[in-house]
């Protein structure tokens, strides 16, 4: 029996290698991921928060998800100075690549859409063209949400895993399944007509390999109907989820799927309970069980917790990380908890992996921003990957790599040391941790880093958005930033060698990005990287084609100074698509598929 199993694993490994393909993006180049987006108008030209996954069994196939506003109404619909999230419109964009992330396509499905609602200049209540309402039409986001009484609200997280056969067992030879997790709202406003309790839930969409061609062609039914995975109540806001599939076939829990999230028990109101929860499925995502893995207390002594990460090793051990306040030191820390039985129980208490210094500075509005007043969000949360040897698991080092952006943050008024991408690694299941070399050079200001390690544990990569100037105390000066991809070799002992550049992208001005409320920038909450043994696929938020708008800059400064309220009734509030260049707000997702520089 053991010989048969070994032979099967060898066949799987050989087949996966045959299907593998070297990356094709040169180190001096990158590629547009959000290929379906036009450069105007705002906010249809706005994308952020990318996630990417490469199929371990067929590494030519990759999938990406982003917050994509392609289907929203334009600002000129009705009032020209409001750019709303159109009620009922999904923003969970989906993209596919058949050459390992070198090029991308975006299918067009059918759903609740307002992309045709462009409006006209001026507020004209009697003009039907200026009072457009959404209806069933083309969408570039996940299908089958509207039909099931749901709205796909973004925060994408993706993973590939095996399918179950008729015998109930998971195997790559049965085919593969793509899981796409995102937060989801009810489509109906009336509670009696809603699909779940609470304000936001986590939903998972699934696509099987036999329906892949149809999904790329825009066939809604190629996707299974979305499943609500969180255990909801009337006051719950489930947020910032991450997903992991146990994708190493030697694992005793091969095929399990795990989604972690922060469970805000009073719609993100500060001071109320907000535990980290893990939602587990052992039947391919049909049914889910929710377990709380952290304390829920949130008060003046112990702050809240969020920004979870989840992953598995070749032995099936489940690891969950998050950031929060260490009650012993009252300082920010990264926590870890483990499960050895497929997520049924967790070894408690959670351990503090490391204390960290957060990034960003608080502006006069009370917002913690990375690049300046009315600027982009900060990002000190943990990013994790494990060398689990997928798709088989044999030869796995099970090395865990953990990274985050560590402060302090300098400013144009008080210069100081820059932020760094700090890295820790462990080869004993998180029992002990060793510092790796800082992954960012001293001149970089890295925001939203993402780390990935190859399945064989030989190479590690990071990507992040690098800001090229200190935190700005005014909106009047440029705020250039760029996507960065870096690489380091990993020794047999697990030690991480010196980091070197793989790619530096064309810069753009962060001021050209925007929240829909117009009072500040928006670049999202994370970037992403996925490594194979031969290449890495990295994706980041990019503003190279976003035009700065002086009138918006001036208005944001007025809000910061307290001379404007930041509401749609402000007399000085600009109309973005009238008062700015057409490409204002045009943030895209760019990336690349880069070969291992030291094969």
């Amino acid at each position: 029996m053991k010989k048969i199993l070994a032979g099967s694993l060898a066949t799987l490994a050989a087949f996966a290698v045959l299907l593998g393909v070297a990356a094709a993006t040169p180190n001096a180049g990158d590629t547009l991921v959000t290929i379906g987006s036009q450069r105007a108008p705002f906010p249809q030209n706005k994308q952020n928060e990318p996630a990417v996954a490469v199929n371990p069994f067929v590494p030519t196939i990759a999938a990406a998800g982003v917050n994509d506003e392609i289907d929203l109404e334009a600002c000129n619909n009705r009032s020209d100075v409001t750019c709303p999230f159109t009620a009922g419109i999904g923003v969970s964009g989906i993209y596919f690549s058949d050459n390992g992330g070198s090029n991308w396509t975006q299918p067009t499905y059918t759903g609740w859409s307002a992309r045709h609602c462009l409006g006209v200049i001026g507020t004209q209540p009697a003009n039907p063209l200026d009072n457009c309402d959404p209806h069933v039409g083309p969408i570039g986001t996940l299908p089958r949400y509207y039909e099931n009484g749901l709205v796909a609200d973004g925060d994408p997280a993706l993973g590939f895993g095996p399918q179950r056969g008729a015998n109930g067992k998971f195997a790559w030879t049965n085919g593969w399944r793509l899981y796409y997790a995102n937060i989801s709202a009810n489509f109906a406003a009336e509670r009696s007509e809603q699909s779940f309790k609470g304000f936001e839930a986590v939903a998972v969409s699934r696509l099987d390999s036999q329906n892949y061609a149809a999904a790329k062609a825009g066939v809604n039914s190629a996707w299974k109907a979305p499943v609500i995975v969180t255990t909801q109540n009337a006051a719950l806001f489930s947020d910032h989820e991450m997903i992991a599939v146990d994708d190493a076939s030697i694992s005793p829990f091969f095929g399990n799927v795990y989604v972690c999230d922060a469970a805000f028990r009073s719609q993100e109101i500060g001071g109320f309970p907000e535990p980290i929860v893990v939602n587990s499925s052992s039947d391919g995502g049909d049914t889910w069980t929710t377990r709380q893995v952290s304390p829920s207390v949130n008060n003046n002594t112990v702050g809240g917790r969020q920004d979870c990460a989840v992953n598995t090793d070749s032995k099936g051990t489940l690891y969950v990380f998050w950031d929060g306040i260490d009650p012993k030191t009252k300082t920010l820390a990264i926590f870890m908890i483990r499960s050895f039985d497929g997520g049924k129980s967790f070894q408690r208490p959670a351990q503090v992996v490391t204390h960290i210094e957060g990034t960003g500075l608080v502006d006069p509005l009370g917002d913690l921003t990375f690049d300046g007043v009315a600027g982009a969000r900060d990002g000190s949360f943990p990013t994790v990957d494990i060398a689990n040897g997928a798709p088989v698991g044999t030869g796995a080092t099970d090395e865990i790599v953990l990274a985050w952006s560590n402060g302090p943050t300098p400013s144009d008024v008080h210069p100081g040391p820059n932020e760094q991408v700090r890295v820790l690694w462990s080869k004993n299941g998180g029992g002990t941790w060793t510092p790796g070399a800082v992954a960012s050079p001293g001149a970089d200001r890295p925001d939203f880093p993402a780390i990935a390690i190859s399945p064989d544990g030989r190479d590690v990569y990071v990507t992040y958005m690098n800001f090229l100037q200190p935190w700005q105390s005014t909106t009047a000066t440029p705020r250039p930033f760029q996507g960065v991809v870096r690489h380091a070799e990993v020794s047999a002992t697990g030690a991480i060698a010196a980091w070197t550049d793989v790619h530096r992208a064309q810069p753009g001005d962060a001021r050209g990005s925007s929240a829909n409320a117009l009072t500040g920038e928006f670049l999202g909450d994370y970037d992403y990287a996925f490594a194979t043994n031969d290449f890495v696929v990295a994706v980041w938020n990019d503003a190279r084609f976003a035009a700065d708008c002086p009138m918006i800059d001036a208005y944001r400064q007025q809000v910061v100074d307290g001379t404007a309220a930041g509401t749609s009734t402000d007399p000085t509030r600009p109309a973005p698509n009238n008062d700015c260049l057409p490409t204002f707000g045009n943030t895209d997702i760019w990336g690349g598929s880069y070969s291992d520089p030291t094969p």
Side-chain angles (χ1 to χ4, degrees), residues 122-167:
T123 302
Q124 303 174 32
N127 186 345
L129 293 178
D130 203 32
N131 293 272
C132 175
D133 293 319
H135 56 70
V136 174
I139 61 172
T141 54
L142 289 174
R144 303 190 68 180
Y145 275 73
Y146 157 68
E147 297 89 336
N148 286 278
L150 298 170
V151 183
D153 273 349
D155 278 14
L158 291 80
F160 285 93
Q163 289 186 42
R164 284 200 304 173
N167 61 357

Side-chain angles (χ1 to χ4, degrees), residues 261-275:
D261 68 274
F264 292 90
R265 291 177 174 169
S266 192
Q267 200 184 1
E268 293 192 303
I269 298 174
F272 286 85
E274 48 182 59

Side-chain angles (χ1 to χ4, degrees), residues 136-493:
V136 174
I139 61 172
T141 54
L142 289 174
R144 303 190 68 180
Y145 275 73
Y146 157 68
E147 297 89 336
N148 286 278
L150 298 170
V151 183
D153 273 349
D155 278 14
L158 291 80
F160 285 93
Q163 289 186 42
R164 284 200 304 173
N167 61 357
K169 303 295 185 180
F170 287 100
W172 286 114
T173 50
N174 294 330
W176 54 260
R177 173 168 287 182
L178 170 65
Y179 298 85
Y180 188 135
N182 68 140
I183 59 174
S184 180
N186 283 296
F187 184 85
E190 295 294 329
R191 177 158 294 185
S192 61
E193 300 174 0
Q194 293 178 350
S195 300
F196 64 87
K197 295 179 180 179
F199 299 95
E200 292 279 346
V202 175
V204 168
S205 293
R206 295 165 294 165
L207 171 65
D208 289 340
S209 53
Q210 60 266 34
N211 298 322
Y212 179 50
K216 291 190 294 181
V219 178
N220 284 30
S221 59
W223 290 84
K224 295 180 180 295
V227 176
I228 300 298
V229 308
T230 44
T231 301
Q232 293 291 125
N233 60 54
L236 186 61
F237 190 112
S238 301
D239 193 26
H240 202 158
E241 86 295 338
M242 286 292 168
I243 193 170
V245 185
D246 192 328
D247 54 2
S249 57
I250 66 171
S251 165
F253 306 109
F254 178 50
N256 276 16
V257 190
Y258 307 101
V259 175
C260 68
D261 68 274
F264 292 90
R265 291 177 174 169
S266 192
Q267 200 184 1
E268 293 192 303
I269 298 174
F272 286 85
E274 48 182 59
I276 299 297
V277 300
V278 174
N279 312 278
S280 306
S281 176
S282 57
D283 59 7
D286 290 339
T287 60
W288 295 80
T289 300
T290 300
R291 294 175 176 87
Q292 181 177 321
V293 298
S294 81
S296 60
V297 63
N298 182 6
N299 53 40
N300 293 331
T301 302
V302 180
R305 61 214 53 82
Q306 56 180 325
D307 303 327
C308 67
V310 61
N311 221 310
T312 59
D313 65 18
S314 67
K315 304 176 185 66
T317 306
L318 170 64
Y319 300 83
V320 186
F321 297 80
W322 66 87
D323 59 17
I325 301 298
D326 180 357
K328 294 181 179 179
T329 63
K330 306 297 189 293
T331 57
L332 190 61
I334 293 175
F335 294 81
M336 181 193 76
I337 199 167
R338 299 176 295 182
S339 172
F340 303 101
D341 57 5
K344 294 177 182 178
S345 64
F346 288 83
Q347 185 184 54
R348 300 177 187 272
Q351 63 177 271
V352 172
V353 176
T354 183
H355 294 91
I356 66 177
E357 182 170 356
T359 60
L361 297 173
V362 178
D363 69 9
L365 300 177
D367 296 324
L368 186 63
T369 60
F370 194 85
D371 61 325
V373 295
R377 294 176 177 176
D378 76 317
S380 295
F381 55 82
T383 170
V384 179
D385 200 13
I386 303 177
N388 72 342
V392 179
T394 52
T397 67
D398 287 325
E399 179 164 352
I400 310 169
V401 288
L402 166 68
W404 71 97
S405 183
N406 201 74
T409 290
S411 77
D412 54 359
V413 178
H414 296 97
N418 290 347
E419 303 86 347
Q420 299 176 324
V421 178
R422 296 277 184 88
V423 178
L424 296 176
W425 60 270
S426 174
K427 285 194 72 174
N428 60 1
T432 57
W433 294 87
T434 302
V438 173
S440 54
D444 282 8
R445 294 192 56 229
D447 195 18
F448 300 133
I451 196 165
I453 190 169
S454 59
D456 62 10
R458 295 177 56 186
D459 298 275
V460 63
Y461 304 84
V462 293
T463 186
Y464 53 83
M465 294 184 296
N466 172 40
F467 283 81
L468 304 175
Q469 74 300 306
W471 192 92
Q472 300 292 293
S473 57
T474 172
T475 62
T477 53
R479 301 179 181 182
F481 75 99
Q482 63 182 168
V484 173
V485 182
R486 310 199 84 212
H487 164 267
E489 285 284 291
V490 182
S491 73
T493 65

Side-chain angles (χ1 to χ4, degrees), residues 497-508:
W499 291 83
T500 58
D501 278 1
V502 172
H503 179 66
R504 288 185 175 261
Q506 179 180 333

